[in-house]
Amino acid sequence: MTAVPTTITGARRLAEALTALDVEVVFGLPGVHNLPIWEALAHTKIKLIGVRHEQTAGYAADGYARATGKLGVAIVTTGPGAANTLGAVGEAHASASPVLVIATDIPSTLRRPGVTRGVLHETSDQAAMFAPVTKATYTVSSADEIASAVHQSARKALEPQSGPVYLGIPTDYLKNVARDFDPPTEVFAALSTPDLGKAERMLGKAKKPLIWAGGGALRSGAGPAIGALAEKIAAPVITTFAARGLLPLDHPCLAPNPVHAPEVGALWDDADVVLAIGTDFDGLMTQNWAMPRPPKLIAINVDPDDASKNYPVDIMLTGDARAITEALDVPQRSGLTELTVGLKRIAAKVRQRIRDEEPQAADFLATLEEVLPRDAVLVADMCVAGYWAGGFHRIPAPRKFAYPMGWGTLGFGFPASLGAAAAGTGRAICVSGDGGFLFACGELATLAEERMPATIIIVDDGGYGMLRFDQEREGLPQRGVNWDSPDFVGLARSFGVHAERVSGFGRAFRRLLSEMVEADEPNVLVVRARLRPPLNTSPRWYRR
């Protein structure tokens, strides 16, 4: 690092604030208005990873946040740079991912209230663009406010229910002198535990209880408490996409995924009491609410409105998922052995269904289970192979899976895997289609430059396979869904990234993937194959 400047500018206060928050990695793209931030961060221990598109900065920050539970930070420039992040921020918002987007704005000295003057990168109200896809937006009005605004924004992003926050800083404030700032001690107020008596009695009387756990359960660290309660009351546990990995794979009460498989969905249909923990029962998980409301529904959630917006709740327990689950005192119930045997039978039926319907997918899943390191973070994109991996791959631990099923943003997979790789919690394994990969293929430069521990699997079916299936299903001509694929191997190698190509998911795929996940360098594996979509895609939802 070069000598630390003696003048304490707004940019330096920003860097100090991020350092005080224990931020270790940020993602960004330089622009004429935010260069002082790059200079200030160079004098800290924070690693600034430069990306090739602002949307990637948002996705990478999201991937980092999902893999670690920490704040993901994206730093972008004014106007179009800020606007480019909106798709990624919308995904973080829908998935409750704690992301802080720090964007510069035009100089305050050139802003005229109520008039758009045509200043470079000017937007009449930049913060307003972010309002629908964030928890909160902040815009500072002086250099002195920057440090406190960073802390306030970070706190807002991290506190339950977590989510993205926008912080706008007029660029001239970054060069202005800023006064001293003493960072506050960040302690979230403890959530109170509600009266549990009614819920305990209802669970105690249940004959077929079911636990449905969502992303809020995972984010609160409620897995062990949920596992213990499930064993005590002999209840199967169904996890949403956001909660994959919540329980160990060998837990006796863990139901196979996904609930969209008829054999698993029957557990919901048969339940007389459902305990919903940290979930909002979104359309994707409930087949757009075709799944009937259970006879009795108990919800644990930090946000009672969120918990009850889709299915009316009989008993609402507002508070932290882990604390409340730990506090529930329910009598021991028999039937755990029978439940475990039944769940194993269901898992076998689901595996056989996959083998019968799509043998290639069965081979693909078997290889992932066999060769992926236990600490690997699987990142799936919105693609047919991603749907198979997201729905049916067995996730061994919390925060080892990231999936854009909050907002459903195609192109999430590859850039989010950069954030997961930068987290240092295990090798990132990305499952992407050819279409989604092309959204951010320029990030091969970032992958190579940073020598990230990531393996990118590109399943190349020559187009948008899911949309092709939709058109075929409707008896429509194929329009806009097919193309001649580029040479993905040559593309990756041109950036200095090792790449190989195989056809199908047979022995060659297994051998190459085994080698790649053990490598010290980033790599790309291109697979020429066409898969039929699985049951967790809406055109294939089974009807009750």
Side-chain angles (χ1 to χ4, degrees):
M1 294 190 294
T2 58
V4 178
T6 56
T7 302
I8 308 300
T9 63
R12 188 166 164 198
R13 292 298 184 204
L14 186 155
E16 290 174 350
L18 291 176
T19 299
L21 288 164
D22 294 325
V23 172
E24 298 174 342
V25 180
V26 301
F27 305 88
L29 195 146
V32 65
H33 287 157
N34 72 6
L35 290 177
I37 300 177
W38 285 66
E39 176 62 22
L41 287 174
H43 302 287
T44 71
K45 294 182 179 181
I46 297 173
K47 183 177 181 60
L48 175 52
I49 297 178
V51 296
R52 271 59 182 181
H53 193 281
E54 289 90 357
Q55 189 176 77
T56 296
Y59 280 139
D62 187 357
Y64 176 88
R66 297 192 200 208
T68 63
K70 300 177 182 178
L71 183 71
V73 181
I75 295 176
V76 297
T77 195
T78 312
N84 279 342
T85 68
L86 287 172
V89 176
E91 176 58 47
H93 183 56
S95 297
S97 193
V99 170
L100 174 59
V101 177
I102 301 175
T104 48
D105 207 334
I106 67 168
S108 63
T109 53
L110 300 180
R111 174 78 70 187
R112 185 181 299 169
V115 179
T116 302
R117 304 179 67 191
V119 179
L120 177 67
H121 299 333
E122 182 179 11
T123 304
S124 61
D125 188 347
Q126 186 169 289
M129 296 192 299
F130 287 83
V133 292
T134 56
K135 284 182 69 177
T137 64
Y138 302 94
T139 302
V140 301
S141 57
S142 72
D144 291 337
E145 292 181 7
I146 290 176
S148 60
V150 169
H151 279 270
Q152 184 180 8
S153 301
R155 179 186 178 87
K156 188 69 172 179
L158 288 164
E159 69 183 5
Q161 178 170 327
S162 55
V165 171
Y166 164 84
L167 174 60
I169 305 174
T171 182
D172 52 320
Y173 298 158
L174 295 174
K175 294 183 178 180
N176 290 355
V177 176
R179 67 186 177 202
D180 291 343
F181 172 74
D182 292 325
T185 301
E186 296 296 329
V187 179
F188 296 129
L191 296 171
S192 60
T193 300
D195 182 2
L196 306 179
K198 290 182 179 179
E200 290 169 344
R201 289 190 291 275
M202 184 177 287
L203 285 171
K205 294 177 181 178
K207 298 186 181 304
K208 288 191 174 181
L210 169 71
I211 297 175
W212 175 286
L218 186 143
R219 290 188 294 273
S220 75
I226 291 173
L229 177 63
E231 288 188 61
K232 193 173 185 181
I233 64 174
V237 179
I238 291 177
T239 57
T240 68
F241 290 126
R244 299 292 309 280
L246 180 74
L247 297 184
L249 292 177
D250 61 354
H251 193 281
C253 299
L254 179 62
N257 278 75
V259 71
H260 308 82
E263 297 85 356
V264 183
L267 295 171
W268 171 276
D269 295 340
D270 294 343
D272 59 347
V273 176
V274 170
L275 175 62
I277 306 175
T279 184
D280 65 354
F281 292 115
D282 63 28
L284 184 71
M285 288 304 307
T286 62
Q287 301 179 51
N288 284 339
W289 307 285
M291 292 169 53
R293 180 189 180 278
K296 297 293 182 181
L297 179 59
I298 305 168
I300 300 174
N301 204 301
V302 294
D303 184 346
D305 293 333
D306 190 55
S308 58
K309 65 187 179 185
N310 289 316
Y311 288 118
V313 172
D314 293 291
I315 299 175
M316 182 69 233
L317 304 176
T318 303
D320 177 71
R322 180 176 64 183
I324 293 178
T325 304
E326 288 175 341
L328 283 170
D329 185 11
V330 184
Q332 186 86 29
R333 185 174 171 273
S334 62
L336 180 60
T337 301
E338 293 82 353
L339 171 65
T340 303
V341 171
L343 292 175
K344 288 181 178 178
R345 188 179 301 117
I346 289 173
K349 288 181 178 178
V350 172
R351 286 194 299 271
Q352 189 59 51
R353 177 187 288 274
I354 297 171
R355 177 62 64 184
D356 292 342
E357 291 191 0
E358 185 55 272
Q360 280 198 105
D363 292 340
F364 171 54
L365 293 169
T367 296
L368 291 183
E369 184 161 357
E370 178 183 322
V371 309
L372 293 196
R374 185 173 177 82
D375 65 349
V377 181
L378 178 66
V379 183
D381 203 3
M382 291 281 291
C383 62
V384 178
Y387 300 143
W388 280 106
F392 296 92
H393 178 63
R394 302 173 73 227
I395 309 299
R399 301 197 178 279
K400 295 302 180 183
F401 176 64
Y403 199 25
M405 282 305 185
W407 215 25
T409 48
L410 177 60
F412 165 92
F414 179 34
S417 71
L418 302 182
T425 59
R427 190 174 187 86
I429 311 296
C430 174
V431 176
S432 175
D434 46 342
F437 179 78
L438 288 171
F439 275 47
C441 61
E443 298 308 330
L444 285 166
T446 306
L447 193 67
E449 185 176 278
E450 299 291 338
R451 309 309 297 169
M452 289 181 155
T455 295
I456 314 302
I457 303 169
I458 304 172
V459 180
D460 179 8
D461 63 0
Y464 296 120
M466 189 68 232
L467 301 177
R468 183 190 296 128
F469 176 84
D470 288 338
Q471 290 178 344
E472 291 174 350
R473 181 172 168 272
E474 296 295 328
L476 298 172
Q478 294 181 9
R479 304 186 193 278
V481 297
N482 298 311
W483 56 65
D484 293 328
S485 296
D487 179 2
F488 286 110
V489 170
L491 178 64
R493 290 176 179 175
S494 74
F495 283 92
V497 176
H498 176 68
E500 300 288 348
R501 179 188 294 107
V502 295
S503 294
F505 298 102
R507 293 180 180 178
F509 171 72
R510 182 169 301 201
R511 175 180 58 81
L512 283 170
L513 186 60
S514 298
E515 295 171 359
M516 286 184 166
V517 300
E518 296 297 331
D520 294 328
E521 61 181 5
N523 42 50
V524 172
L525 179 55
V526 182
V527 187
R528 285 289 298 181
R530 286 194 178 189
L531 294 171
R532 186 168 182 252
L535 291 169
N536 51 309
T537 54
S538 57
R540 297 209 57 215
W541 286 344
Y542 74 95
R543 302 303 174 191
R544 286 169 166 75

